[in-house]
Amino acid sequence: MGTIRKIVEGVQFPMLTLVAGHSGVHRRVTGINVVESIDLIMFCRPNELVVTTGINLSQQEDSLEQLVKLAYSKKVAGFIINIGPYIPAIPESIIAFANEHDFPVFQMPWHCRVADLLKTTFQFIANHHQEHSIEEKVLYNLLFHSKKQMDTRKVQLAQLGFPQGRELAIITCTTIGVQSSIDRYEVIIQFAFQHRYKRFLKLKHKNHLIFLIDRAQINTPNIPFSKVVEEIYEKIKQKNGFLDIIIGKGNYQKEHENIRKSYEESLTVIQLAQLHNNRFLYKYKDIGAYQIIMAVQNQPLMQSFSHDILGQLQRYDELHNTDYIAFLRIFLEENGSTSKISERQFIHRNTVLYKIKKIESLLDMDLTNPFTKTNLYLAFLIEDVLTHQ
């Protein structure tokens, strides 16, 4: 996969110097576009490089800065500024913006021809497109073909940067409902994963986007995977007004023979998240409570536990046509954050606080107590499992 990092580290682009946005080198490059006026930025596409000489920019001091900011808003891969008679130097304001937003900005000396840059970039993209096809084939064979040629696949994976002994896992992304295609979210998902992982393999299979990741190649180890997924979900909600995607991650595996197992685990996460309408289920290792509940043979005991915890609130809802059970689920999902609950429910913060106090009164429980939250969450899990058995 062609990225800004490969442009910086390779030898094909001696004419380019990265001057700002060094943390954005994970960005994928799929094209290049010459833009000489602000009006033409609308024709740029995500993941393209944008080049300008400034020949047609207005004489206004901030016209170049406007062009860079508009290019960033179009989710382009990076910006190349041809330093010369029209742009003698890159303004500090642009460098500051690029560094703040991890947006790669290159400078290119005037004696280097833009035509040569275009030719080199097209060759770079073509070569990496071929490499991408090889990556897809290797991952497909690893997941869906027999283990007879595993030695060959181990060699291929090592050549692609995934040697034996590394802890590898599968992330699977899909949409809810047959009418919705994962294709429409590929750019959002891939952009997030490019930021998190130095290297990954990607495969599109049916309506699934499948990623092979390496624990040793995580750029942001201090940020939990759940936060990355939530950021993807939030962007999709902003785009659609609703969420129709599920992302699941299998466990890490050291043996390449077990990567198929990680894939199956990722599908289990997706199945459980969809079945129990639990958007906060992300990783296979997080389904432990579901596994325990489903393994318990004494269903009357589980029903009794759930009823003892939630029964009073359910009866109150039935008698008074209220929605405290639904509200309590959201309370637990948002970890009691009044601002998040308020935003999600479209209600005032004072209404959130009132409902919390009312539920505490009806259940005779302190909702700030971690043990209480655990019991309530278990009660909901039991209810979900028993409902869908």
Side-chain angles (χ1 to χ4, degrees):
M1 179 171 53
T3 61
I4 296 290
R5 184 190 303 278
K6 291 184 178 179
I7 288 177
V8 173
E9 295 175 350
V11 297
Q12 308 103 306
F13 296 89
M15 72 290 283
L16 298 182
T17 302
L18 185 64
V19 296
H22 294 75
S23 297
V25 292
H26 58 275
R27 291 169 178 261
R28 183 184 175 204
V29 178
T30 60
I32 188 165
N33 207 329
V34 180
V35 178
E36 298 291 11
S37 76
I38 289 175
D39 294 338
L40 296 176
I41 201 70
M42 68 177 70
F43 297 107
C44 292
R45 295 181 178 180
N47 300 117
E48 285 185 335
L49 284 170
V50 173
V51 189
T52 190
T53 66
I55 189 170
N56 289 328
L57 289 179
S58 70
Q59 298 305 308
Q60 293 180 7
E61 230 176 81
D62 64 345
S63 58
L64 178 60
E65 185 177 346
Q66 287 181 43
L67 186 62
V68 171
K69 289 181 177 180
L70 285 170
Y72 171 77
S73 71
K74 298 289 287 185
K75 295 183 170 57
V76 304
F79 202 98
I80 301 170
I81 299 174
N82 200 188
I83 299 300
Y86 304 107
I87 306 174
I90 301 176
E92 285 299 322
S93 59
I94 291 177
I95 291 176
F97 173 84
N99 286 331
E100 181 184 351
H101 294 86
D102 300 332
F103 183 48
V105 171
F106 294 88
Q107 70 177 26
M108 184 174 77
W110 186 254
H111 68 267
C112 296
R113 298 192 330 139
V114 171
D116 292 335
L117 172 66
L118 297 179
K119 181 180 178 182
T120 302
T121 305
F122 291 141
Q123 290 173 341
F124 171 83
I125 292 167
N127 291 339
H128 284 283
H129 179 73
Q130 183 179 12
E131 176 188 316
H132 182 63
S133 299
I134 294 170
E135 292 177 355
E136 285 189 331
K137 185 176 180 181
V138 170
L139 184 52
Y140 181 87
N141 289 338
L142 188 67
L143 296 180
F144 302 112
H145 282 183
S146 67
K147 297 181 180 180
K148 291 180 181 178
Q149 298 181 350
M150 185 55 69
D151 288 341
T152 301
R153 287 168 202 152
K154 288 178 181 178
V155 172
Q156 292 172 329
L157 281 171
Q159 291 171 342
L160 293 171
F162 298 88
Q164 181 73 16
R166 292 282 186 87
E167 291 183 284
L168 308 180
I170 294 292
I171 301 171
T172 301
C173 315
T174 191
T175 51
I176 304 167
V178 294
Q179 301 300 322
S180 184
S181 171
I182 194 64
D183 293 350
R184 60 194 302 225
Y185 305 129
E186 183 174 359
V187 172
I188 294 174
I189 296 168
Q190 183 156 306
F191 188 82
F193 287 173
Q194 284 170 353
H195 182 69
R196 180 166 177 81
Y197 304 106
K198 297 175 186 175
R199 185 94 177 103
F200 59 75
L201 302 188
K202 185 190 77 172
L203 169 68
K204 194 181 299 181
H205 178 65
K206 297 182 179 178
N207 196 38
H208 290 171
L209 272 179
I210 305 168
F211 296 85
L212 175 71
I213 61 164
D214 180 350
R215 190 198 287 269
Q217 299 197 56
I218 299 177
N219 288 318
T220 53
N222 295 326
I223 299 175
F225 177 72
S226 58
K227 184 170 177 59
V228 177
V229 176
E230 275 304 304
E231 288 176 353
I232 293 172
Y233 285 175
E234 190 58 36
K235 287 179 180 176
I236 290 173
K237 281 173 65 182
Q238 289 173 2
K239 177 180 179 179
N240 285 346
F242 59 89
L243 188 65
D244 61 344
I245 182 175
I246 301 178
I247 296 176
K249 176 176 167 292
N251 287 334
Y252 284 102
Q253 304 289 341
K254 278 192 175 182
E255 300 298 325
H256 288 169
E257 292 86 348
N258 294 332
I259 293 175
R260 166 77 191 191
K261 181 181 178 184
S262 182
Y263 171 61
E264 291 170 348
E265 289 170 347
S266 72
L267 296 182
T268 299
V269 174
I270 288 172
Q271 182 182 22
L272 283 172
Q274 187 170 0
L275 186 63
H276 302 299
N277 193 28
N278 186 347
R279 58 169 275 197
F280 295 94
L281 188 61
Y282 314 106
K283 299 181 291 186
Y284 187 77
K285 74 175 188 177
D286 292 339
I287 73 168
Y290 279 111
Q291 288 179 312
I292 293 169
I293 291 168
M294 289 186 287
V296 173
Q297 299 297 315
N298 192 339
Q299 288 199 6
L301 175 64
M302 290 198 298
Q303 288 172 337
S304 174
F305 175 84
S306 178
H307 185 265
D308 288 345
I309 298 289
L310 300 173
Q312 179 69 19
L313 204 58
Q314 289 168 336
R315 285 192 296 272
Y316 189 91
D317 276 349
E318 290 170 3
L319 288 171
H320 298 87
N321 196 28
T322 50
D323 62 348
Y324 288 122
I325 282 288
F327 178 87
L328 182 56
R329 275 186 182 269
I330 293 170
F331 172 88
L332 294 171
E333 289 172 358
E334 299 296 351
N335 199 26
S337 169
T338 53
S339 60
K340 289 182 178 179
I341 297 168
S342 174
E343 182 181 346
R344 187 169 164 186
Q345 288 279 277
F346 303 104
I347 56 178
H348 194 273
R349 185 175 180 273
N350 289 342
T351 306
V352 173
L353 294 173
Y354 169 80
K355 287 192 169 189
I356 291 171
K357 290 296 182 186
K358 184 67 174 179
I359 290 172
E360 287 181 327
S361 173
L362 290 169
L363 295 182
D364 191 22
M365 292 179 178
D366 177 7
L367 294 186
T368 64
N369 186 309
F371 188 66
T372 298
K373 288 181 181 179
T374 299
N375 282 335
L376 288 167
Y377 196 71
L378 274 174
F380 278 121
L381 289 183
I382 289 170
E383 190 176 80
D384 290 342
V385 169
L386 293 178
T387 301
H388 293 97
Q389 276 186 343

